[in-house]
Amino acid sequence: MAKEKYDEKDKQVGRVILVAAKWLAIIGGLLGPFVMMMNHSVGLDLGSLSVICGGTAICFGKTGRTPGGQWLALLYTLGLGVLVLLYFVLIAKFI
C-alpha cells in the first residue's frame, strides 16, 4: 500500500494558497488600471502580479493537475495575460 506524501493539513494549506492567489489576481487585475493612472509603475506591477497569481491558480488548480491539463492550463494563463492587457488598454484609452 502506497504511503500518502501529504497529510490533510498540507492539502488545506495548499487550497488556501490557491484561493488567496485567485483573489489577489482578481483584485489586482480590476484595480491595476486605475492605480496606473496615479502611479504608472505600481499599476503595471499590479497587472503583472495579477497574471502571475492567476496563472498560478490555474496551473496548480484542478485543470493543471489532470493528465494533459498542463498544456490547457498554460493556454488559459496566456489567455488571462491577453485579457488583462486588453482590459488595461481599454481602461487607459477611455478613462
Side-chain angles (χ1 to χ4, degrees), residues 2-7 10-11:
K3 184 178 174 186
E4 179 129 357
K5 267 181 142 174
Y6 304 106
D7 61 354
D10 290 336
K11 291 178 183 177

Side-chain angles (χ1 to χ4, degrees), residues 6 12 24 36 40 44 51 58 61 65 69 74 76 80 93:
Y6 304 106
Q12 184 64 32
L24 188 60
M36 191 170 73
H40 189 76
L44 290 178
V51 172
I58 291 170
R65 289 183 287 150
L74 288 174
Y76 285 164
L80 174 69
K93 182 174 181 171

